[in-house]
């Protein structure tokens, strides 16, 4: 299990928001020409959160944290084993 700090969690969540925003924009051909403008804020948020957490340039750690957030916990659904 990966132990993550509050700053790392915030950075991973900002990264996931950027990823989901990017997917949404690129999924709609009408929005693609505006992708740069529409993604400016989520990119800036993710950049700042990554710097604050010390994850800028540390993709390996970032992806481990993201994986931890995306993996459902057994107790999240009431299952304890």
């Amino acid at each position: 299990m990966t132990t993550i700090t509050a700053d790392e969690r915030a950075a991973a969540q900002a990264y996931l928001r950027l990823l989901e925003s990017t997917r949404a924009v690129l999924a709609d051909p009408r929005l693609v020409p505006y992708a740069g403008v529409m993604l400016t804020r989520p990119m800036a948020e993710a950049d700042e959160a990554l710097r604050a957490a010390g994850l800028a340039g540390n993709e390996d750690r970032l992806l481990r944290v993201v994986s931890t957030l995306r993996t459902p916990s057994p107790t999240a659904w009431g299952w304890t084993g």
Side-chain angles (χ1 to χ4, degrees):
M1 178 173 194
T2 301
T3 302
I4 59 175
T5 68
D7 284 344
E8 288 174 331
R9 177 180 298 276
Q13 290 170 333
Y15 167 80
L16 290 170
R17 282 190 296 276
L18 172 58
L19 182 63
E20 290 167 5
S21 297
T22 302
R23 285 182 179 157
V25 169
L26 296 179
D28 186 340
R30 296 168 298 162
L31 297 178
V32 171
Y34 308 104
V37 173
M38 296 179 78
L39 297 174
T40 298
R41 185 177 210 118
M43 283 189 289
E45 178 190 12
D47 283 344
E48 178 56 34
L50 289 169
R51 276 192 295 277
L55 293 175
N58 191 349
E59 292 83 5
D60 183 55
R61 176 68 180 162
L62 171 63
L63 294 176
R64 281 197 315 267
V65 173
V66 167
S67 176
T68 298
L69 293 180
R70 297 295 290 247
T71 303
S73 163
T75 58
W77 299 101
W79 181 75
T80 58

